[in-house]
């Protein structure tokens, strides 16, 4: 039936059938062994996904593998990376752990990869140690004021700057190698002892825990920008790669970091550089204190990483739409982890498998077929830089941008079990609210996920009053990046997260360590798996509504509200920027005004229509306007210096203002330099932005 | 009615109502005075178009003006540009005409603009004259072998190189100024005398005739790349403009060119440099023959052009679609001319007005409303670089790319009255054939436009046998450029043209001169206006079919045929290129293969469907695939050095092979230089191309 709308009783069936025990079972299966991208463990999860999605009782219409030949970086198992303290007489005074300490069979698995910094160059460097705080440009600048950094090794803590940036920022000062560790202050609320405080006694990171990670700046396979990484695809020369560490870098545990930092000489670092150790964090002489046994010793960093092309798999599954098969709702998560990855990403993968299992059963039992097509994506090699999802969007750019209604990302489904967290385009806000109101909050019988969320995080909307706060997807933190920034697809990212009054941890403490295991998830993150269940119910409800609603549940007036809030900040910034009078802000004001009136007009047109009883091309026309709204904000020339960023509203920004990113960065730069050329660039950004918003308004305005 | 298809009887009504007398009347009105862009004459045509399109009996639903503030270049009426021969003692021995000779009131009009090279810099230059053939790179290179070109003035003939290129190519050799003229061999089949051979006795160019033109490389307003040229829009600094003459250049008549060339000294130029004058074309000493009265004299070039921002208008008119208002068929032509512009562009404008008049009457009488929306565009400032149409596509980029089914361009409607000429995407070929089969050939009662065309220009299609030859729109010769290359909209350009056995003229001889008048059109180009009528019938028939057919009349298998023909040439090129074995051609072969099978599959799906009786979303889905096919070939990064070129199949190419342009140029360069970096670029182009063709295939393949 062409005019078929969402069936609310079917939504209730779906919610009822989502089973926490099933999720637990999926998680147990997925985390049996480490499954770093392209390893045998990863291949096992590929087969596992395929089996589930091809299951005759609860599978999808079709499931298959898509492979890409991508550039990955690994440590050499035969020559482990090493960090040592070496005396002038070459005696080794201290050796950092090569593996994390074992508390059970998971850590004993020989497939646990040594902690390393993916894409760090190989090399041996030795030098006096300095402490460089978070490795931000301002950190090295300050350090350089009193110390000659040439030939030094810098130790930095995670946070404040991107992983690769800690080395990229260091190199210009002559630093030859970098160490990075997680400070207990930043991850463990200060706790440090594995005798009783850290895992396996709690969710906190044990002293030997090390956050692995990809040390790159741009997302996607590095050798094949804008091209799917297939066998014969052109690859840029390895020497042309940008955004990776120019000098060796290696992550270590805070146990070893303490040994080094507590012995550092030199002046005491500023208060905001101090961490959780019971010692003063000094800059370093450079090097260690005269009184230390390490006096005059150097730190030696040996990195044996190598990079090579590997075949990485996405597993894809589809349910074909009955009425509009040419409209896609995509639901995805990565499948690869650093080690066992129970939380990252398998919590999300388990949730996705439960959503697809319940929908697959409804499908196979003949109870349901969606109005629009549903695509599930289990992306490969996300940990190395969102590679699987990025290559997928490059290969299928045309059909995805022509037909995709929305993308739902659930990576880490449960960081903690306090409250829902959602980020996405403003047009999705109301849909997420609707879905969250139909789901019971875990552990709170009479409260909905929505009401619980409202208590933890809210804001006042001019149109709706107090509502939960939905974040924006301005960065490239998970696989939504290519969908948002490259394709301009309306996207969201969902999870359950912390009570921020109870922890200051940067992220859940086992993140990217050998302790992110089923045991950890089941005992400390979500005992009973009810938060997983709530996320599955919420995300699945959103998915069903996107796939089945006659009118797409996307609200363009909520988009206008966000643009107006950005505009208000932009106007303040403009006023105080000292912009020359030749640069008028009027085109931006008028573009946002046009967008608002277009949104109002479309909403009234929808309200005044009886869509189920008018010609089916009318609702299709409106749905096309709503679907293409985010596409209208794309400008491939807006950010020539940011790879894969084309959406002018949600790009990343360094200026730190809640406003249009290109505008914010360009005005901040011009305002600070006062150079005519920088003002010209600011004016250019203003015109790009105004035209894009006007273009988006034209997408919403009456079609002719 | 949602399933309403094209009404053939309505097509017949349309054809019957297209009136040659009406076209003649429109042309007479439009060409009363010169109407160069933004002049009072242009403003009069703006009002004229508005009146016709707002006429209560035969107008459209709505018509309005869109203005852009664009950068135009003009001669100074108070200080006319001058070309003189100056003796060493400063005596002026010869002065070139400042105006073309008058043969009637049209040439006497004070609004006839002095012949000039728009965007030539102002400046006075004096130097010894040399003859540089067509001003191609190879021409100056040859000349430079025997002559020191520093400080010289070069005289060149039109043809072989773009207008601006004649100066751009000259400057590196130290040439300080350039003259350009139209050689009688190239335009007049050798005839030269206005006593009996040229206009007003025939269509040939009189001796004083001068082709004006825009001397630029990129299309659109030069100061606002990719941004609509509105009041507050960012403009690049004038110094940053590229692609315009770096040294003064001025066009002159062949009468004056003869005076100069016939006196040139030096060696005799090669045979293919010789033109139609009854003298040997020498290189120049540099300078004139010792025996000449000009011996030792220099040529002095004084250019007083100035550039400024002017408001240029597009006139827009629409007929709202009844069933799919959100699908557009666009029909356009520029309105501005250099002088009276009877042929260029008013022949096309008269045809457009007749098409809109007949459709407007059917509309106002309640006999018809199209299924899809129709947009008419009367573009401004085309002569300065397709400016009005380019700015329009920049401003309305989003909605035009979301919704436009096709663009029909009819600029010069009638070059001559021998045969139809058509260029466009291969998917439109069959539609043009269908339309042309329903129109009688002018002056040939029992022959159709199609049959007549087939006699003049044909080719053998693997699928269809002998068919008329439809050209490709690879360049930027008229307002289709932004639609084809920037927006990726399926486009065509239609006209009536020469019997090439009867003339070798580069173009109709009055092109861009003061002789392109109503008198010229009515007496020499199309007496009785029956060729205009045939073009109006053919173009209008195409328009009606695009607007009213239930299934879009776009054939994707014909596109596959063109790709296969390009592939065959590419394979030959690849074989002989000496490409290293690491660059495989297989991805391109397999992409074209995938495209063919996708096209076959879609055609079979269409054939097996009963679209009028199935759900209306099915035909919409197929129509979307067909509409978006050309969009799928866009890659904004494919041609970083070519402004506004994004369609990987139809971009301009310098390699001169009938194959994929980026591939052809890159392989030619690499093959010739042998440099590894050039081979890398060739490989990159191959990957871009293969991925784009695959993407287009995905647009055609079953939607999920
Ligand atoms: Ca890639
Ligand atoms: Ca522009
Ligand atoms: Zn993750
Ligand atoms: Zn991760
Ligand atoms: Zn023209
Ligand atoms: Zn012209």
């Amino acid at each position: 039936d062409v005019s078929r709308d969402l069936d609310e009783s079917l939504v209730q069936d779906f919610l009822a059938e989502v089973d926490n025990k099933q999720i637990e079972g999926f998680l147990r299966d997925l985390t049996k062994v480490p499954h770093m991208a392209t390893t045998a463990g990863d291949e096992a999860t590929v087969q596992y996904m395929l089996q589930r999605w091809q299951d005759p009782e609860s599978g999808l219409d079709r499931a298959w593998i898509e492979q890409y030949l991508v550039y990955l970086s690994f440590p050499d198992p035969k020559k482990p990376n090493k960090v040592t303290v070496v005396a002038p007489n070459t005696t080794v005074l201290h050796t950092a752990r090569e593996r994390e300490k074992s508390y059970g069979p998971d850590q004993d698995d020989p497939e646990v990869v040594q902690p390393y910094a993916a894409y760090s160059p190989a090399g041996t460097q030795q030098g006096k140690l300095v402490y460089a705080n978070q490795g931000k440009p301002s950190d090295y600048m300050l350090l350089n004021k009193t110390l000659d950094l040439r030939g030094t090794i810098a130790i930095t803590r995670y946070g404040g700057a991107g992983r690769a940036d800690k080395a990229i920022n260091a190199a210009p000062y002559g630093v030859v190698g970098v160490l990075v560790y997680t400070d207990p202050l930043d991850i463990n609320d200060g706790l440090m002892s594995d005798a009783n405080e850290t895992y396996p006694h709690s969710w906190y990171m044990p002293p030997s825990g090390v956050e692995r990670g990809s040390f790159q700046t741009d997302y996607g396979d590095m050798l094949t920008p804008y091209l799917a990484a297939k066998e014969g695809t052109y690859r840029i020369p390895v020497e042309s790669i940008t955004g990776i560490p120019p000098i060796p870098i290696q992550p270590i545990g805070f146990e070893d970091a303490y040994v080094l930092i507590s012995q550092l000489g030199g002046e005491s670092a500023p208060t905001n550089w101090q961490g959780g150790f019971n010692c003063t964090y000094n800059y370093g002489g450079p090097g260690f204190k005269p009184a230390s046994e390490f006096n005059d010793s150097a730190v030696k960093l040996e990195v044996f990483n190598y990079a090579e092309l590997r075949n990485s798999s996405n597993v894809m599954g589809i349910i074909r739409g009955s009425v509009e098969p040419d409209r896609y709702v995509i639901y995805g998560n990565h499948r690869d982890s650093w080690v066992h990855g129970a939380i990252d990403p398998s919590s999300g993968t388990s949730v996705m498998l439960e959503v697809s299992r319940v929908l697959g059963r409804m499908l196979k039992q003949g109870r349901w077929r969606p109005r629009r097509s549903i695509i599930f994506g289990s992306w490969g090699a996300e940990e190395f830089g969102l590679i699987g999802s990025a290559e997928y969007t490059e290969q299928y750019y045309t059909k995805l941008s022509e037909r995709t209604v929305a993308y739902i990302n659930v990576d880490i489904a449960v960081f903690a079990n306090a409250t829902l967290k959602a980020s996405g385009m403003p047009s999705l806000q109301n849909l997420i609210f609707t879905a969250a109101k139909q789901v019971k909050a875990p552990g709170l019988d009479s409260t909905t996920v929505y009401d619980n969320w409202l208590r933890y995080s809210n804001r006042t909307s001019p149109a709706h009053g107090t509502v939960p706060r939905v974040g924006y997807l301005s960065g490239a933190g998970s696989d939504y990046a290519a969908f948002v920034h490259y394709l301009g697809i309306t996207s969201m990212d969902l999870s359950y997260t912390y009570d921020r009054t109870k922890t200051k941890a940067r992220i859940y403490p086992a993140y990217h360590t050998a302790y992110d295991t089923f045991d950890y998830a089941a005992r400390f993150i979500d005992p009973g798996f009810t938060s997983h269940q709530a996320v599955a119910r919420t995300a699945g409800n959103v998915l069903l509504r996107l796939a089945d609603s006659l009118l797409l549940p996307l609200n363009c007036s909520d988009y206008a509200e966000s643009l107006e809030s950005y505009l208000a900040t932009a106007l303040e910034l403009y006023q105080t920027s000292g912009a020359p009078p030749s640069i008028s802000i009027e085109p931006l004001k008028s573009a946002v005004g046009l967008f608002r009136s277009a949104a109002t007009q479309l909403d009234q047109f929808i309200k005044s229509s009886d869509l189920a009883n008018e010609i089916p091309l009318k609702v299709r026309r409106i749905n096309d306007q709503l679907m293409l709204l985010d596409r209208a904000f794309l400008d491939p020339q807006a950010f020539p210096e940011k790879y894969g960023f084309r959406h002018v509203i949600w790009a990343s920004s360094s200026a730190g203002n809640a406003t249009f990113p290109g505008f914010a960065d360009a005005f901040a730069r011009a305002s600070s330099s006062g150079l005519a050329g920088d003002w010209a660039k600011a004016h250019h950004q203003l015109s790009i932005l105004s035209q894009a918003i006007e273009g988006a308004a034209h997408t919403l305005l009456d079609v002719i």
Side-chain angles (χ1 to χ4, degrees), chain A:
Chain A
D1 180 12
V2 187
S3 301
R4 201 189 72 189
D5 206 344
L6 175 81
D7 177 353
E8 285 287 353
S9 76
L10 201 124
V11 172
Q12 292 306 325
D13 290 352
F14 171 82
L15 297 175
E17 293 174 35
V18 170
D19 183 351
N20 51 331
K21 287 288 163 200
Q22 288 282 349
I23 296 175
E24 180 175 355
F26 291 138
L27 190 66
R28 197 188 300 271
D29 292 345
L30 286 166
T31 56
K32 283 212 171 75
V33 294
H35 48 286
M36 182 168 63
T38 73
T39 62
D42 184 32
E43 187 49 34
T45 62
V46 167
Q47 295 307 322
Y48 186 79
M49 300 300 295
L50 268 186
Q51 259 173 37
R52 309 268 35 93
W53 286 350
Q54 292 175 342
D55 186 272
E57 315 276 294
S58 65
L60 311 174
D61 283 336
R62 205 155 63 81
W64 68 97
I65 296 171
E66 302 256 4
Q67 283 206 331
Y68 301 96
L69 189 60
V70 302
Y71 187 74
L72 304 184
S73 161
F74 300 99
D76 184 341
K78 291 183 197 135
K79 282 192 285 177
N81 298 340
K82 270 192 174 180
V83 176
T84 48
V85 178
V86 184
N89 65 1
T90 75
T91 311
V92 174
L93 302 179
H94 177 78
T95 301
R97 272 184 178 277
E98 285 170 17
R99 297 177 65 97
E100 291 149 303
K101 184 171 167 186
S102 173
Y103 300 105
D106 277 337
Q107 289 85 44
D108 292 332
D109 193 310
E111 290 300 311
V112 173
V113 72
Q114 188 200 9
Y116 76 111
Y119 304 109
S120 164
T124 297
Q125 295 291 352
Q126 186 167 332
K128 294 287 167 70
L129 190 68
V130 296
Y131 171 59
N133 193 28
Q134 298 177 312
K136 300 189 297 288
S138 59
D139 293 333
Y140 290 111
M141 200 182 297
L142 182 65
L143 207 54
N144 187 56
K145 280 191 179 149
T146 52
L147 292 179
D148 181 352
L149 297 176
R150 288 174 298 174
T152 61
I153 304 282
I155 184 165
T156 60
R157 56 187 173 120
Y158 272 121
R163 294 190 188 100
D165 292 329
K166 293 172 196 289
I168 292 171
N169 298 335
Y173 294 99
V175 175
V176 295
V178 177
L179 303 177
V180 57
Y181 78 102
T182 307
D183 196 278
L185 183 72
D186 300 322
I187 202 82
N188 275 2
D189 295 312
L191 301 182
M192 273 174 265
S193 162
D194 72 346
N196 52 3
E197 293 174 336
T198 67
Y199 183 80
H201 308 287
S202 76
W203 81 323
Y204 290 119
M205 181 192 262
S208 70
V210 184
E211 178 186 321
R212 294 154 185 78
S214 182
F215 284 60
Q216 36 62 262
T217 304
D218 301 331
Y219 67 87
D221 173 50
M222 301 181 176
L223 297 186
T224 57
Y226 302 115
L227 293 170
K230 292 290 178 178
E231 184 97 21
T233 303
Y234 170 70
R235 287 174 166 78
I236 64 169
V238 166
E239 315 85 72
S240 303
I241 295 173
T242 56
I244 59 171
I247 52 179
I249 180 165
Q250 172 72 15
I252 59 174
F254 66 76
E255 177 182 49
D256 286 308
Y258 175 74
V259 172
L260 300 176
I261 288 177
S262 63
Q263 303 297 319
L264 272 177
E267 286 177 47
S268 137
T271 315
N272 61 349
W273 288 37
Q274 302 298 316
F277 296 142
N278 61 352
C279 67
T280 301
Y281 290 58
N282 297 326
Y283 288 138
F288 299 102
K289 293 175 192 168
S292 157
E293 54 166 334
F294 296 163
N295 180 29
D296 279 341
S297 296
V299 168
K300 185 174 179 186
L301 170 58
E302 294 165 84
V303 174
F304 301 103
N305 294 350
Y306 65 98
E308 64 178 7
L309 293 182
R310 294 276 197 107
N311 272 306
S312 171
S313 298
N314 293 337
V315 184
M316 306 303 303
I318 55 163
I319 303 177
R320 186 183 172 93
S322 55
V323 180
E324 298 182 272
D326 59 339
R327 288 296 174 263
Y328 307 152
V329 182
I330 309 182
Y331 183 121
N333 179 31
H334 67 101
R335 195 188 54 256
D336 67 305
S337 55
W338 281 114
V339 191
H340 298 83
I343 299 301
D344 180 12
S346 307
S347 62
T349 308
S350 305
V351 162
M352 176 162 71
L353 281 174
E354 180 58 2
V355 169
S356 67
R357 183 192 68 85
V358 176
L359 295 180
R361 260 169 45 101
M362 301 194 319
L363 182 76
K364 298 290 182 184
Q365 292 173 355
R367 290 193 278 154
W368 169 78
R369 176 168 291 283
R371 176 182 181 86
R372 304 184 180 87
S373 295
I374 295 175
I375 300 178
F376 288 99
S378 172
W379 316 120
E382 189 264 6
E383 293 295 3
F384 288 82
L386 322 179
I387 294 179
S389 57
E391 298 307 308
Y392 174 73
T393 60
E394 286 166 349
Q395 179 168 11
Y396 296 106
Y397 185 86
T398 57
K399 69 177 193 175
L400 294 177
S401 45
E402 289 158 13
R403 300 173 192 154
T404 309
V405 158
Y407 174 67
I408 303 166
N409 196 66
V410 181
D411 179 346
I412 297 171
V414 182
F415 288 88
N417 52 23
T419 174
L420 189 71
K421 180 182 175 185
S423 304
M425 271 66 156
S427 44
L428 283 164
Q429 169 185 282
N430 193 55
L431 168 62
I432 300 170
F433 293 170
T434 303
K437 283 173 183 170
Q438 294 185 312
V439 179
K440 282 197 189 122
L444 299 164
D445 268 3
S446 59
T447 308
T448 65
V449 162
Y450 178 88
D451 289 331
N452 180 61
W453 182 16
L454 195 60
R455 288 188 314 154
Y456 278 96
S457 171
N458 59 57
R459 68 174 182 103
T460 304
S461 149
H464 309 294
T466 307
V467 291
R469 180 178 293 277
V470 175
Y472 298 142
L473 295 174
S474 53
S478 185
D479 292 301
Y480 54 77
F483 291 92
V484 171
H485 300 298
Y486 184 52
L487 283 172
I489 285 171
T490 310
S491 301
M492 74 178 82
D493 187 76
L494 287 180
S495 59
Y496 237 69
T497 192
Y498 322 100
D499 179 347
R500 275 294 176 198
T501 65
K502 299 209 175 125
T503 180
K504 303 261 172 297
R506 283 179 56 235
I507 189 161
Y508 71 96
Y511 174 71
H512 287 191
T513 72
Y515 308 109
D516 185 352
T517 58
F518 181 81
D519 175 67
Y520 182 84
R523 289 204 296 134
F524 300 116
I525 298 290
D526 189 23
F529 291 89
T530 52
S531 294
H532 282 75
Q533 186 181 36
V535 171
R537 283 174 170 160
T538 309
N541 193 350
V542 162
L543 174 62
L544 262 176
R545 289 172 180 278
L546 284 164
D548 272 4
S549 300
L550 178 62
L551 176 72
L552 283 177
L554 302 173
N555 185 311
C556 55
S557 289
D558 287 341
Y559 221 120
E561 186 171 298
S562 289
L563 296 183
E564 284 161 355
S565 149
Y566 268 21
L567 176 64
T569 307
L571 289 176
E572 282 169 40
L573 198 69
Y574 174 80
Q575 298 298 349
T576 58
S577 69
S582 63
I583 303 179
S584 165
I585 193 88
E586 289 306 316
L588 179 62
K589 281 166 75 174
S590 110
V592 173
L594 183 69
F595 188 98
R596 167 58 83 179
S597 71
T600 304
Q601 189 188 305
L602 182 58
D603 277 350
Q604 279 165 358
F605 182 61
I606 292 170
K607 214 173 278 174
S608 69
S609 300
D610 178 13
L611 295 174
N613 296 307
E614 299 184 52
I615 70 164
L617 292 178
K618 185 169 179 185
V619 67
R620 171 79 171 209
R621 179 204 327 166
I622 297 167
N623 285 342
D624 279 359
Q625 291 178 283
L626 295 169
M627 173 180 83
L628 295 174
L629 173 54
D630 270 301
R631 234 79 88 236
F633 284 112
L634 293 184
D635 182 341
Q637 276 145 334
F639 308 108
E641 282 153 30
K642 287 181 191 173
Y643 179 80
F645 281 82
R646 297 180 167 192
H647 196 303
V648 302
I649 309 299
W650 310 122
S652 61
S653 158
S654 48
N657 290 298
T659 187
F660 311 107
F663 174 93
D665 286 358
F667 270 73
R669 189 174 310 122
S671 194
S672 131
S673 81
L675 296 173
D678 284 341
W679 280 119
K681 283 184 191 159
H683 192 180
H684 192 196
Q685 280 294 331
L686 187 58
S687 291
I688 286 172
L689 174 64
S690 306
Q691 180 160 303
I693 296 174
E694 260 194 62
H698 289 136
T699 294
L700 298 181
L701 279 171
D702 185 19
V703 294
I704 187 90

